[in-house]
Amino acid sequence: MEKLIVEGGKPLAGTVRISGAKNAALPLMAATLLTSGKHILRNVPDLRDTRTFIKLLEDLGVQCERKGDTVTFDSTHIRHSEASYTLVKTMRASVLVLGPLLARTGKAKVSLPGGCAIGARPINFHIMGLERLGVTCLLEGGYVDAEINTPMQGNVIYFDIPSVTGTENMLMASVLAQGTTVLKNAAREPEIGNLVDMLIGMGANIEGRDSDKLTIHGVDKLVPADCAIIPDRIEAGTYLIAIAATRGHGTVTHCNPAHLPSLLEKLRQTGLVVTEDVSTITVETPDTIKSPFSLDSVDIKTMPYPGYPTDLQAQFMALMALSSDTSVINETIFENRFMHVAELQRLGADIRTDGHTAVINGKGLKGLSGAPVMATDLRASSSLVIAGLAASGRTEISRIYHLERGYENLVEKLTGLGARVWKERE
Ligand code: EPZ
């Protein structure tokens, strides 16, 4: 196992290039199962999770080949329709093969993903939606065994909560169904728009892109895709917060500022100067004439898109630990997404939690000091990196395989911004 060493206290400066979005790459890879032929996906990040998903597709019979950030998927021969527990337990997004496998073969047996550090992560909406399309779903032995012997029939599907992968699974399940399917209270994350664009490019007939109501008119045939993955808004937000936390001045490039409306607003409310261009965002800390810059405390409440993203909650908490006053963070999406709090406290952060609410008493920009900490889940890990970069002294982060799931070339990108970080064996 490896650990990440962070020598903190140095402002980040310069530019960092943002990779393709992990949470777009996974559903778009799943969509290559929908029709036979050679699909092309561009700007595909090379991460632990995308490598795991490629392994899953190869196990199902898809021939995958990466050339730089382009990956081809030849899904002519689907060998079988089962996603095993060994693969699914390491990445719950494997549930995304349910919809396309059923649309293509009428069968799918996928292990229930099980919970993860941030919550129980049920998939009842996915199963409800499939059953509304006529699929029989049997839950036994820790698997969803789904089957339909006739073409799926379009229907109205209402999500009690706008589920991101639930919406994506139903989009892929319904594009080849007979008749029309309407997804109500659908999630509106940009990654879903990326999937809609890919499916329409394959010949699907979908209305309502970016809205909470998607209408899918089933078609008889699809053609292979050639589609680019959108930039990773969560990676971009993570680097912007890291630059801010170190009182730096930096620019993220190859990103889409329109995908981060709430984060940019919240960063501006702290007093930071945030400027946007077509595909870049710059953040800098204005040193006022009368006194050195201090971060104003800002409250956040995580919400479905376009509200503040839960995947940037832990990172913003690290920033608020450095602010000049008290802030409140309310996590409304997942039931256990404060795993980073105990680790941030080891770095000197003054945080108290009560259920879904955390109260952070900021200790100022020099308020944290380095210590050994442990990563628990992907986004919690990135908040520890941010805190370590801002803290004085050395921070050692163990279990960094969590980080490698969602951040491509993290050490190289941080080093490029002037950070003193490197990996060592545990
Ligand atoms: C996606 O997870 C993302 N993962 C998550 O990112 C992200 O945090 C989440 O959306 C919310 O934005 C991918 O896209 C691969 P949900 P997903 O279904 O789809 C409940 C990361 O760090 N729910 O939108 O699994 C659920 O428990 C990951 O990159 C049900 O109750 O999330 C949660 O409370 C972490 N039943 C809420 O809905 C269901 O059938 C939203 O979950 C499905 C979800």
Side-chain angles (χ1 to χ4, degrees):
M1 295 247 262
E2 288 185 307
K3 59 188 175 183
L4 188 72
I5 314 297
V6 183
E7 285 293 354
K10 186 180 175 208
L12 298 188
T15 63
V16 58
R17 178 180 179 135
I18 298 306
S19 304
K22 165 179 86 79
N23 290 350
L26 301 178
L28 273 69
M29 285 182 176
T32 64
L33 290 164
L34 278 169
T35 189
S36 169
K38 198 163 184 177
H39 305 255
I40 302 170
L41 291 182
R42 305 173 192 281
N43 197 31
V44 182
D46 187 12
L47 303 164
R48 183 184 288 266
D49 272 10
T50 51
R51 289 195 288 272
T52 302
F53 212 97
I54 285 172
K55 257 194 227 129
L56 169 57
L57 291 176
E58 286 173 338
D59 187 56
L60 295 172
V62 182
Q63 289 174 9
C64 308
E65 189 182 355
R66 176 182 279 275
K67 283 201 185 91
D69 67 5
T70 297
V71 184
T72 55
F73 302 82
D74 186 338
S75 56
T76 305
H77 304 293
I78 299 297
R79 232 195 335 256
H80 61 80
S81 301
E82 181 170 335
S84 70
Y85 179 59
T86 33
L87 271 169
V88 176
K89 72 179 177 187
T90 63
M91 185 189 58
R92 62 178 313 284
S94 311
V95 73
L96 284 165
V97 301
L98 261 178
L101 277 177
L102 282 161
R104 173 83 180 270
T105 69
K107 282 177 66 60
K109 186 174 178 184
V110 177
S111 164
L112 284 166
C116 72
I118 63 177
R121 312 297 294 276
I123 59 166
N124 54 311
F125 300 155
H126 300 240
I127 291 165
M128 173 276 294
L130 291 172
E131 289 177 339
R132 294 278 295 165
L133 298 176
V135 177
T136 309
C137 295
L138 213 56
L139 296 185
E140 61 179 15
Y143 277 81
V144 182
D145 204 341
E147 191 164 1
I148 183 160
N149 300 313
T150 59
M152 282 186 246
Q153 297 301 317
N155 205 337
V156 175
I157 295 169
Y158 178 81
F159 291 101
D160 291 350
I161 301 174
S163 163
V164 174
T165 49
T167 302
E168 290 163 349
N169 236 336
M170 292 312 110
L171 270 167
M172 294 187 281
S174 60
V175 285
L176 288 168
Q178 287 185 342
T180 295
T181 298
V182 181
L183 305 183
K184 292 187 171 180
N185 197 29
R188 300 165 51 193
E189 273 67 5
E191 293 75 28
I192 291 166
N194 201 185
L195 177 62
V196 169
D197 291 345
M198 174 179 173
L199 294 171
I200 289 174
M202 292 168 72
N205 183 346
I206 303 170
E207 296 158 11
R209 183 190 193 281
D210 290 341
S211 81
D212 65 356
K213 181 182 171 191
L214 290 166
T215 302
I216 305 102
H217 303 286
V219 295
D220 298 332
K221 191 174 164 3
L222 295 171
V223 297
D226 182 340
C227 186
I229 307 285
I230 59 171
D232 193 318
R233 60 194 168 97
I234 304 302
E235 184 196 20
T238 303
Y239 283 106
L240 288 169
I241 294 171
I243 293 162
T246 58
R247 301 188 62 212
H249 179 170
T251 298
V252 295
T253 67
H254 297 80
C255 71
N256 185 340
H259 291 166
L260 283 164
S262 48
L263 173 71
L264 301 190
E265 180 53 39
K266 290 295 177 180
L267 288 177
R268 290 182 176 117
Q269 288 175 12
T270 67
L272 291 160
V273 176
V274 180
T275 46
E276 306 166 38
D277 199 338
V278 175
S279 62
T280 65
I281 305 168
T282 298
V283 67
E284 54 190 304
T285 49
D287 270 319
T288 48
I289 302 157
K290 56 183 184 305
S291 65
F293 175 71
S294 64
L295 276 168
D296 291 343
S297 301
V298 172
D299 298 347
I300 61 166
K301 178 175 185 172
T302 64
M303 292 295 281
Y305 192 87
Y308 190 91
T310 175
D311 291 351
L312 284 171
Q313 177 259 109
Q315 299 90 320
F316 200 82
M317 188 183 288
L319 187 67
M320 287 300 98
L322 302 156
S323 67
S324 55
D325 207 325
T326 298
S327 53
V328 177
I329 291 184
N330 192 347
E331 169 57 61
T332 72
I333 306 292
F334 290 111
E335 61 267 35
N336 187 35
R337 204 164 198 178
F338 285 152
M339 304 282 281
H340 43 287
V341 171
E343 301 304 311
L344 290 173
Q345 286 167 339
R346 290 179 49 75
L347 300 173
D350 178 357
I351 305 170
R352 281 177 295 112
T353 62
D354 178 7
H356 288 244
T357 302
V359 178
I360 303 99
N361 295 314
K363 301 186 71 178
L365 284 159
K366 303 264 182 230
L368 301 182
S369 47
V373 289
M374 186 179 76
T376 52
D377 60 88
L378 169 55
R379 306 305 175 183
S381 322
S382 63
S383 84
L384 301 181
V385 175
I386 290 168
L389 288 166
S392 57
R394 173 175 288 204
T395 296
E396 298 196 358
I397 304 170
S398 60
R399 301 192 181 181
I400 55 169
Y401 55 86
H402 289 293
L403 274 170
E404 288 154 358
R405 295 191 51 177
Y407 291 98
E408 188 178 45
N409 300 329
L410 178 78
V411 172
E412 294 79 1
K413 290 188 178 186
L414 283 174
T415 311
L417 285 167
R420 295 166 301 200
V421 296
W422 63 92
K423 285 181 188 172
E424 281 182 5
R425 295 204 64 72
E426 285 271 23

